[in-house]
Amino acid sequence: ARFSTKNRMLLKLLTQENVLVGGFFVISGYVSGYVATRVGERKAEEKKLAQPELFFWSRVMAYYPLHFLVSTIFAPMFVMVER
C-alpha cells in the first residue's frame, strides 16, 4: 500500500487502527459521562440514575438510526466488492 506522506511518525499513527479505535472509545466514554451529569457539577442526574435502562436505550436509539442509514447506503458496495 502506498501513502501520500513520507513522515514516518504520521504514517505509523495512521496505520495503527487499534490506536484509532481506542481513541474513539475514550472520546465516546467522555461524551457519555458528560451527558449523564449536570452541567457545571460533578454529580450525576438523579433522573437518569433512577431508570438506567431508559438512559441506555435513549443512547442506543440516538446512534442506531444513523448506523442503519449508513449501513443501508453502503450495503451495495460491500456486496459488489465480494464479486
Side-chain angles (χ1 to χ4, degrees), residues 11 13 25 32 60 65 69 82:
L11 184 62
L13 177 68
F25 281 119
S32 181
V60 168
L69 176 69
E82 293 296 322

Side-chain angles (χ1 to χ4, degrees), residues 30-46:
Y30 174 79
V31 169
S32 181
Y34 182 79
V35 300
T37 58
R38 291 187 186 162
V39 177
E41 296 181 22
R42 292 183 117 181
K43 63 185 212 177
E45 287 191 38
E46 298 300 324

Side-chain angles (χ1 to χ4, degrees), residues 19-56:
V19 173
L20 299 174
V21 171
F24 170 77
F25 281 119
V26 168
I27 292 170
S28 66
Y30 174 79
V31 169
S32 181
Y34 182 79
V35 300
T37 58
R38 291 187 186 162
V39 177
E41 296 181 22
R42 292 183 117 181
K43 63 185 212 177
E45 287 191 38
E46 298 300 324
K47 179 181 164 187
K48 292 179 181 174
L49 289 178
Q51 295 178 317
E53 63 278 353
L54 292 179
F55 178 69
F56 170 79

Side-chain angles (χ1 to χ4, degrees), residues 3 11 16 20-21 43 50-51 55 63 66-67 73 83:
F3 294 96
L11 184 62
Q16 297 295 318
L20 299 174
V21 171
K43 63 185 212 177
Q51 295 178 317
F55 178 69
Y63 294 110
L66 179 61
H67 166 74
I73 290 171
R83 292 181 179 198

Side-chain angles (χ1 to χ4, degrees), residues 67-81:
H67 166 74
F68 183 75
L69 176 69
V70 171
S71 296
T72 303
I73 290 171
F74 284 97
M77 180 184 71
F78 296 129
V79 171
M80 287 190 283
V81 165

